[in-house]
Structures are given as structure tokens and as C-alpha cells.
């Protein structure tokens, strides 16, 4: 199918463009009439070849490892991983689930504009909670919310974490992951929320943090919120945990959502003091960390019907104020067809992906260029009216391991 490529059998044409030019060249001998073929591979030292290969797209690096034994040893070496981590960052990929029951789907590479059929380790169903950072992805089951795995979806290296503390069956949970690019250590946060029995307005909320350095969980905060409940949206950005809370019926439509900031170092409380209003009535909000800045993609509600979406906006948090940096043009908004008031969106580096739950269409927004662009069509079509699609963004990295 057009645009689809198996992860282990990339197109030879791509590699001929990437590495074919380095394969060999011709040279005249001293006699001037005899041509000698000299292989560049035989004269280029390992350290230079490592740097050349490190600049290839990650899909091409995997194929380069199949060229010969020498290249395989190079791309598998620790020195190559160090070189790879210091070149220009790979553009983030987007994995789209194509089944409501099985964790199967395709990953989109925005550099080569190709979809790859890859298998995700650990995850059992697409409705698991998912968070990603710096090449690692964290999965948490959606039943007991006590089974967690951290993995690298490219190398397939996976680690199961011990069960987190706190209430086992919470009404709402929000998962986030933050990986240090220097130390490769990571933190995982789970914000759990459960209604106080017999009291609709009050909700128990707790924050639990896992530190890969100590390999232990800690309950960082427990608090009772009045008039607000937790949700399923959170992100760790520059040492601060951000998560959205939702009104339980008190207040105007403009106050249906609010943002909580929680510093993981100072652990400030009570949470109600750190509330930041969202920029107007939103149907939903999606939080992400783009180069140390908190970004929110939100569905803009109609003034008279805030639960009905009329557009999608993108904001960056500056201090305690939101700055709008983009609004989806109407032609792209219409291109989704019938867009629900909630949708999937995630991003990292300078790319934001937006996807409707009702169709496999994927829209990409470049924060640097302020450019909207459809991805190459995903090699799957909608088979029945209630079929749902969702996905997540991750960085394709080789050097990170849980």
C-alpha cells in the first residue's frame, strides 16, 4: 500500500539516496587508460563513518546496519550512540492506533514522510494511558491503573515498574513522564482523583512520583478539592507538573477548566493557590512540553454553546499568562470532517500533531515555521462508523533506555 513500509524492510531507494553516494568512486590509474574502483568504505576511518551515519534518519540507520558487518558493528556501538545523541535531533514521530481492541498501528516519520508498521512492546490495549519524553514511552493500564511499563519503542527495550501507591481504582488518572537528556534519568507522575463518597463537589486528589534514580515511588501530595476534580491530562515541563482540573458544576462556562501548577522540588500546596485560568471556554485541552515551554492545544467552544467546538487554538504559557501562537485555518478544520469536541493531540521539539478520534487524518503544525500541513495519508481506512482512532507522539531515539 502506498506510503506504508515495513519497519524491517525499508525502501532501497531511500538508502541509495542516503548512503549510495558514499559507496564508491572511480579513479584513473597512472597509465591514464585503466580505471580503478575505490570503495570509500575501505578508506574512511570508523570515527568519520560514524559521524556520517549519525546524520541519517533513524529508519535509514536501521537499514545501514544490514549493509555489512562493519556498518552493523558501528551503528550498534556505544560511541555511535554518543555521536547520534549529539547531532541534530530527529523529528518526533506519531504512532496511530488503527484498532479499538488491539495495540496495533503505524508510526509516521515526518522527515521521510512514510508510515512504518511497528509493534509496541508491553501495552495490551489502545486505551492504556500513555506518556512520552526523549525517546522513552510510559504505558499504564486503564483498569487497576497499577501496571506500568517504560520502554523505547524503537529498540524495544522495556522495563516493568513496581506498583504505584495510592488509591488503586481512581475515577480519573493523569500520567506524565519527563526524561533528562543529560543523565537519562526520568520521573513519572500520576495524578489520581476520586470523588468523596456522598459529596459531589469534593474530590480526593493525590500526586505520586516515581524516580528512576532511586527506583522508588513517593506520594508527594494528598488534598481535597472542592468544586473541582482531576482529569486525564498532565505534563512535566522544566521541573513543574502541570495538569488540568475540571469544574464539577460551580461557576460560569469560562471556568469549566483550569490549570494547576505543582513544582516537583518545592512541592507547594494547597493546589488551589496555583490555579491558572485557561484562555476562554474550551471543549478540551491537551498539554505538551515543547523545548521547555508549556504548550496547550485546545478546542475553542462557541460563546453561546461552549460545549460545541468551532475551532482549535494553540497557546504557550508565559509566566501565568497564555499567549496564542496559532489557530487552525478553517480549511484544515473542515478537512477533519465532523470533528468531535474532544480530539487527540501531542507534540515535542517543534512539531504538534492533531488527530480526530473519528478518522485517520493527521495534521501537523510546525511551531517554528507556523505552518500547517497534512501528513501523508495513513495506510488504513475507516471500516465501520463507530471505529475510533487515537495515537501519541514520541521521539525516535536509540540512546535512551529505561
Amino acid at each position: 500500500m502506498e506510503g506504508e513500509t515495513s519497519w524491517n524492510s525499508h525502501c532501497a531507494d531511500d538508502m541509495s539516496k542516503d548512503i549510495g553516494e558514499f559507496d564508491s568512486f572511480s579513479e584513473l590509474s597512472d597509465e591514464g587508460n585503466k580505471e580503478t574502483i575505490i570503495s570509500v568504505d575501505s578508506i574512511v576511518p570508523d570515527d568519520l563513518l560514524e559521524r556520517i551515519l549519525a546524520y541519517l534518519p533513524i529508519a535509514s540507520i536501521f537499514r545501514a546496519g544490514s549493509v555489512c558487518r562493519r556498518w552493523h558493528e558501528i551503528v550498534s556501538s556505544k560511541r555511535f550512540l554518543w555521536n547520534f545523541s549529539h547531532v541534530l535531533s530527529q523529528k518526533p514521530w506519531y504512532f496511530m492506533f488503527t484498532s479499538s481492541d488491539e495495540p496495533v498501528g503505524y508510526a509516521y516519520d515526518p522527515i521521510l514522510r512514510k508510515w512504518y508498521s511497528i509493534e509496541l512492546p508491553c501495552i495490551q490495549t489502545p486505551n492504556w494511558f500513555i506518556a512520552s519524553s526523549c525517546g522513552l514511552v510510559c504505558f499504564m493500564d486503564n483498569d487497576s491503573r497499577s501496571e506500568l511499563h517504560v520502554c523505547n519503542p524503537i529498540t524495544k527495550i522495556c522495563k516493568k515498574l513496581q506498583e504505584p501507591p495510592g488509591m488503586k481504582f481512581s475515577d480519573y488518572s493523569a500520567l506524565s513522564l519527563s526524561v533528562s537528556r543529560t543523565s537519562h534519568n526520568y520521573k513519572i507522575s500520576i495524578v489520581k482523583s476520586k470523588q468523596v463518597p456522598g459529596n459531589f463537589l469534593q474530590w480526593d486528589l493525590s500526586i505520586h512520583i516515581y524516580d528512576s534514580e532511586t527506583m522508588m515511588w513517593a506520594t508527594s501530595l494528598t488534598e481535597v478539592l472542592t468544586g473541582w476534580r482531576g482529569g486525564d491530562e498532565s505534563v512535566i515541563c522544566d521541573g513543574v507538573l502541570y495538569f488540568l482540573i475540571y469544574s464539577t458544576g460551580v461557576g460560569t462556562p469560562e471556568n469549566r477548566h483550569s490549570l494547576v501548577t505543582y513544582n516537583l522540588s518545592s512541592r507547594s500546596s494547597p493546589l488551589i493557590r496555583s490555579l491558572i485560568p485557561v484562555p476562554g471556554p474550551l471543549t478540551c485541552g491537551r498539554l505538551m512540553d515543547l523545548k521547555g515551554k508549556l504548550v496547550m492545544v485546545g478546542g475553542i467552544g462557541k460563546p453561546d454553546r461552549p460545549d460545541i467546538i468551532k475551532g482549535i487554538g494553540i497557546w504557550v504559557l508565559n509566566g501565568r499568562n497564555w499567549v496564542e501562537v496559532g489557530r487552525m485555518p478553517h480549511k484544515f478544520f473542515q478537512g477533519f470532517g465532523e470533528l468531535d469536541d474532544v480530539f487527540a493531540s501531542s507534540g515535542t521539539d517543534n512539531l504538534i500533531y492533531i488527530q480526530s478520534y473519528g478518522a485517520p487524518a493527521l495534521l501537523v503544525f510546525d511551531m517554528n515555521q507556523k505552518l500547517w500541513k497534512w501528513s501523508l495519508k495513513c495506510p488504513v481506512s475507516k471500516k465501520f462508523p463507530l471505529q475510533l482512532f487515537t495515537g501519541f507522539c514520541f521521539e525516535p531515539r536509540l540512546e535512551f533506555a529505561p
Side-chain angles (χ1 to χ4, degrees):
M1 190 175 294
E2 183 180 358
E4 175 187 352
T5 307
S6 170
W7 178 242
N8 293 318
S9 58
H10 307 304
C11 296
D13 289 343
D14 292 332
M15 283 306 300
S16 66
K17 294 176 183 177
D18 291 331
I19 60 177
E21 296 173 358
F22 301 100
D23 194 23
S24 62
F25 64 89
S26 300
E27 181 182 89
L28 290 177
S29 66
D30 293 337
E31 291 81 4
N33 56 6
K34 185 178 179 180
E35 191 179 59
T36 303
I37 303 297
I38 299 178
S39 172
V40 173
D41 182 57
S42 64
I43 62 174
V44 175
D46 284 354
D47 57 346
L48 180 56
L49 186 56
E50 286 172 3
R51 292 184 176 273
I52 294 172
L53 295 177
Y55 278 91
L56 293 177
I58 195 166
S60 299
I61 290 175
F62 269 80
R63 186 165 178 82
S66 303
V67 170
C68 63
R69 182 176 180 179
R70 180 191 180 201
W71 286 29
H72 175 75
E73 291 175 350
I74 285 177
V75 300
S76 303
S77 68
K78 291 183 178 180
R79 191 169 67 176
F80 175 80
L81 295 180
W82 187 92
N83 281 325
F84 178 79
S85 66
H86 285 76
V87 300
L88 297 176
S89 62
Q90 302 278 330
K91 294 291 185 181
W93 287 13
Y94 188 85
F95 184 91
M96 184 184 296
F97 292 103
T98 55
S99 169
S100 302
D101 304 314
E102 301 294 328
V104 296
Y106 297 91
Y108 180 67
D109 178 356
I111 296 180
L112 299 180
R113 288 182 57 81
K114 286 183 177 293
W115 289 91
Y116 299 106
S117 176
I118 65 175
E119 296 181 3
L120 296 175
C122 310
I123 185 172
Q124 297 179 15
T125 60
N127 70 342
W128 280 31
F129 293 88
I130 302 172
S132 68
S133 175
C134 293
L136 296 184
V137 179
C138 182
F139 300 116
M140 181 176 71
D141 76 292
N142 198 20
D143 295 324
S144 66
R145 303 175 186 182
S146 59
E147 181 180 346
L148 286 97
H149 302 264
V150 179
C151 78
N152 183 320
I154 299 298
T155 64
K156 302 294 191 293
I157 300 175
C158 194
K159 178 181 180 180
K160 185 176 181 179
L161 303 184
Q162 63 184 17
E163 185 175 317
M167 59 189 91
K168 194 166 186 178
F169 295 95
S170 56
D171 293 329
Y172 296 93
S173 298
L175 176 71
S176 55
L177 168 69
S178 178
V179 182
S180 169
R181 293 186 182 274
T182 53
S183 68
H184 292 198
N185 293 325
Y186 56 88
K187 293 185 185 300
I188 298 170
S189 72
I190 305 176
V191 181
K192 298 184 178 183
S193 182
K194 189 175 181 64
Q195 185 180 356
V196 174
N199 191 327
F200 180 75
L201 291 180
Q202 289 192 324
W203 289 72
D204 288 319
L205 187 141
S206 58
I207 299 174
H208 312 276
I209 307 295
Y210 177 83
D211 190 331
S212 67
E213 198 169 6
T214 62
M215 295 187 292
M216 296 185 64
W217 286 95
T219 299
S220 182
L221 177 140
T222 57
E223 199 169 301
V224 177
L225 298 182
T226 300
W228 298 93
R229 64 163 178 83
D232 58 1
E233 195 66 31
S234 69
V235 69
I236 299 174
C237 182
D238 196 24
V240 178
L241 170 64
Y242 298 91
F243 59 95
L244 290 176
I245 57 175
Y246 305 81
S247 171
T248 56
V250 180
T252 61
E254 287 77 13
N255 295 325
R256 295 199 316 162
H257 302 77
S258 195
L259 180 73
V260 174
T261 65
Y262 180 73
N263 191 300
L264 296 179
S265 299
S266 61
R267 302 186 179 185
S268 55
S269 64
L271 295 177
I272 203 70
R273 293 179 181 174
S274 66
L275 296 191
I276 297 177
V278 298
L282 299 180
T283 63
C284 71
R286 304 293 180 234
L287 304 176
M288 55 202 76
D289 173 10
L290 270 65
K291 295 184 175 181
K293 294 183 178 180
L294 178 70
V295 175
M296 180 172 67
V297 179
I300 303 172
K302 293 183 177 181
D304 55 335
R305 293 287 304 276
D307 56 333
I308 298 179
I309 190 170
K310 72 169 186 177
I312 294 178
I314 301 175
W315 296 268
V316 174
L317 186 65
N318 184 9
R320 294 181 58 86
N321 299 313
W322 294 101
V323 178
E324 184 172 326
V325 295
R327 185 164 296 204
M328 184 184 296
H330 190 61
K331 66 176 182 178
F332 290 106
F333 185 76
Q334 287 182 316
F336 280 108
E338 188 176 345
L339 187 66
D340 294 330
D341 57 342
V342 293
F343 52 85
S345 182
S346 57
T348 188
D349 193 31
N350 65 327
L351 291 187
I352 295 174
Y353 292 96
I354 301 175
Q355 178 191 0
S356 166
Y357 290 131
L362 182 63
L363 186 62
V364 187
F365 178 68
D366 189 307
M367 286 280 288
N368 289 344
Q369 302 179 20
K370 300 295 185 288
L371 179 66
W372 299 86
K373 189 175 184 179
W374 292 107
S375 73
L376 189 72
K377 185 177 179 181
C378 183
V380 68
S381 58
K382 192 168 185 175
K383 297 179 180 178
F384 52 90
L386 297 181
Q387 183 177 1
L388 298 179
F389 300 88
T390 186
F392 63 94
C393 172
F394 71 96
E395 291 185 57
R397 307 296 299 184
L398 297 173
E399 71 275 22
F400 288 91

